[in-house]
Amino acid sequence: MSPRRSVAEARHTRDTIITTAIDIASLDGLEGVTIGRLAGELGMSKSGVLGHFGTKETLQLAAIRLVVDQFTTHVVEPALDHAPGEDRLLALCDNWFDYVTDPGLPGGCLMTAAAVEFDGRAGDVRDVVAEAWARWDDLLRKELGRTPGDFDVDQALFEIVAFGPAVNRAVQLFGDRSAAGRAKRAARRVIGRTG
Amino acid sequence: MSPRRSVAEARHTRDTIITTAIDIASLDGLEGVTIGRLAGELGMSKSGVLGHFGTKETLQLAAIRLVVDQFTTHVVEPALDHAPGEDRLLALCDNWFDYVTDPGLPGGCLMTAAAVEFDGRAGDVRDVVAEAWARWDDLLRKELGRTPGDFDVDQALFEIVAFGPAVNRAVQLFGDRSAAGRAKRAARRVIGRTG
DNA sequence: CCTACCGATCGGTAGG
DNA sequence: CCTACCGATCGGTAGG
């Protein structure tokens, strides 16, 4: 029984806490992630959980950072293998819609949920969520700008960013797993590719 | 000081509680509506608030019912003056996007937020929210079916229902008030009317 | 509609 | 990493 573990063990514990936190958050929201609930599920004491972060807000920020990393790994990075412009744009969209359908979280895409949960509040969590979404918008806008076709870039961007949350809604609220396919078709329509 | 008020007074108090609840819920979610917070804002005791509903869940259901009523009044009913088919469809869409932009609530459209907040849970609140959204989808699908044009009805429906939450996102997360205009244009594109 | 109260849980701290 | 504890708040009840 050694309360002080090694740095590697402490890091592993921290990762486990964050992983459990995003599972809970995807179901019940980031505010539903309470220290006591985490401690209970992990068989730890509350102070053991909180010691890794200091405050609940720091834990929430760490959870968002992990989700953003996962999004980058599953959606953005594979798309960078494709040529800039239309190919990369459609890869980003397709990866996004597949990821939202199956984000590896029991309650659906956490970034979609966090955007709605925090859009009416103030603070670091809201700012980090908004900034992550703004970067995603910028990435899509850049590829739209490189895509030839008879469309307005900002209008096309508005339409495409609508389809990700729409997939989340269809899957989580209605159990409709065909939504990703509809979203892929819709994205092609937006850029005038009847694919 | 008469603790027992008239039926009319009691009804007015009840309405005030629900109105305050949806204001809070639009900012902090339906779970952010606590009995104690309502009592504090209304200058009442907690048991005075709870006496009108019995449980918090009943209060949440009453709040959703009021929001659905407001939606019907501002979005659906005015559109029924338009001819079935394309005219009514576009009136429904335009009213919807305007309503989402300005729902008369400090934190944006509550139905959009509640769908995401409760989509991972079980219970009556989730069921009522899902059913309200399903009815809205059905209404749009019916008018899409009456609209002539070269489009697939279910594909068009998926795209159009995406634009309402997208307006909410743009307004609440980024303060972009031009989103309703983009959504109106997008809805017209979906049914092949470049208007 | 109130006061007074219940057990449970919240985020967080002290001290080891 | 723990136990033990803090004040605040949670939903809800008893009784009037």
Side-chain angles (χ1 to χ4, degrees):
Chain A
M1 202 182 284
S2 58
R4 280 265 144 65
R5 309 270 178 93
S6 72
V7 171
E9 283 171 323
R11 184 182 202 111
H12 178 257
T13 301
R14 199 187 123 104
D15 290 347
T16 305
I17 295 169
I18 300 175
T19 304
T20 308
I22 65 174
D23 281 359
I24 296 173
S26 78
L27 289 167
D28 291 337
L30 272 168
E31 288 298 346
V33 181
T34 67
I35 314 297
R37 185 170 170 187
L38 276 171
E41 294 200 12
L42 294 167
M44 296 173 63
S45 68
K46 289 194 337 182
S47 72
V49 171
L50 205 53
H52 286 274
F53 305 96
T55 68
K56 182 184 176 178
E57 190 184 36
T58 307
L59 198 168
Q60 290 176 325
L61 291 169
I64 291 169
R65 257 177 242 121
L66 176 61
V67 167
V68 170
D69 284 350
Q70 291 179 350
F71 188 90
T72 301
T73 301
H74 291 99
V75 177
V76 178
E77 283 175 4
L80 299 184
D81 294 338
H82 293 74
E86 181 177 318
D87 281 2
R88 186 175 293 173
L89 174 73
L90 292 177
L92 287 166
C93 288
D94 291 357
N95 293 348
W96 186 28
F97 304 142
D98 288 335
Y99 170 79
V100 170
T101 301
D102 256 311
L105 298 172
C109 174
L110 185 53
M111 287 306 296
T112 302
V116 174
E117 183 177 2
F118 284 87
D119 66 14
R121 310 184 191 189
D124 287 347
V125 176
R126 187 225 140 89
D127 293 345
V128 168
V129 169
E131 196 194 317
W133 275 112
R135 280 202 308 271
W136 174 241
D137 282 19
D138 288 344
L139 182 56
L140 292 178
R141 188 184 291 107
K142 186 169 71 176
E143 299 307 332
L144 274 167
R146 292 163 161 173
T147 300
D150 184 27
F151 58 84
D152 178 88
V153 168
D154 283 319
Q155 177 70 26
L157 180 64
F158 171 84
E159 299 185 23
I160 284 177
V161 296
F163 299 138
V167 171
N168 188 73
R169 184 190 106 114
V171 172
Q172 296 300 320
L173 204 57
F174 298 124
D176 172 15
R177 311 257 319 168
S178 72
R182 296 220 177 279
K184 292 175 187 177
R185 191 171 154 197
R188 281 155 180 78
R189 261 187 20 84
V190 165
I191 59 168
R193 185 162 174 274
T194 329
Chain B
M1 202 181 289
S2 56
R4 282 264 144 67
R5 310 271 178 91
S6 73
V7 172
E9 284 171 323
R11 184 182 201 110
H12 178 256
T13 301
R14 200 187 123 101
D15 290 347
T16 305
I17 294 169
I18 300 175
T19 304
T20 307
I22 65 174
D23 281 0
I24 295 173
S26 79
L27 289 167
D28 290 337
L30 272 169
E31 288 299 345
V33 181
T34 66
I35 314 295
R37 184 170 171 187
L38 276 170
E41 293 200 14
L42 294 166
M44 294 173 65
S45 68
K46 288 194 339 182
S47 71
V49 171
L50 206 52
H52 286 273
F53 304 96
T55 68
K56 183 185 176 178
E57 190 183 37
T58 307
L59 197 167
Q60 290 176 325
L61 291 168
I64 291 169
R65 259 178 240 120
L66 177 61
V67 167
V68 170
D69 284 351
Q70 291 179 349
F71 187 90
T72 301
T73 300
H74 290 99
V75 177
V76 179
E77 283 175 4
L80 299 183
D81 294 338
H82 292 75
E86 180 177 318
D87 280 3
R88 186 174 293 172
L89 173 74
L90 291 177
L92 286 166
C93 288
D94 291 357
N95 293 347
W96 185 28
F97 303 142
D98 287 337
Y99 170 79
V100 170
T101 302
D102 256 311
L105 297 172
C109 173
L110 185 52
M111 286 307 295
T112 302
V116 175
E117 184 178 0
F118 284 88
D119 66 13
R121 309 185 192 189
D124 287 348
V125 175
R126 187 227 140 89
D127 294 345
V128 168
V129 169
E131 196 195 316
W133 274 112
R135 280 202 309 271
W136 174 241
D137 283 18
D138 288 343
L139 181 57
L140 292 178
R141 189 185 290 107
K142 184 169 74 175
E143 299 307 332
L144 274 168
R146 291 164 161 173
T147 300
D150 183 28
F151 58 85
D152 177 89
V153 168
D154 283 319
Q155 177 70 26
L157 180 63
F158 171 83
E159 298 185 24
I160 284 178
V161 297
F163 299 138
V167 171
N168 188 74
R169 184 191 105 115
V171 172
Q172 296 300 320
L173 204 57
F174 298 124
D176 173 15
R177 310 259 317 167
S178 72
R182 296 221 177 276
K184 291 175 187 177
R185 193 172 153 197
R188 281 155 181 77
R189 258 185 24 83
V190 166
I191 60 168
R193 187 162 173 274
T194 328

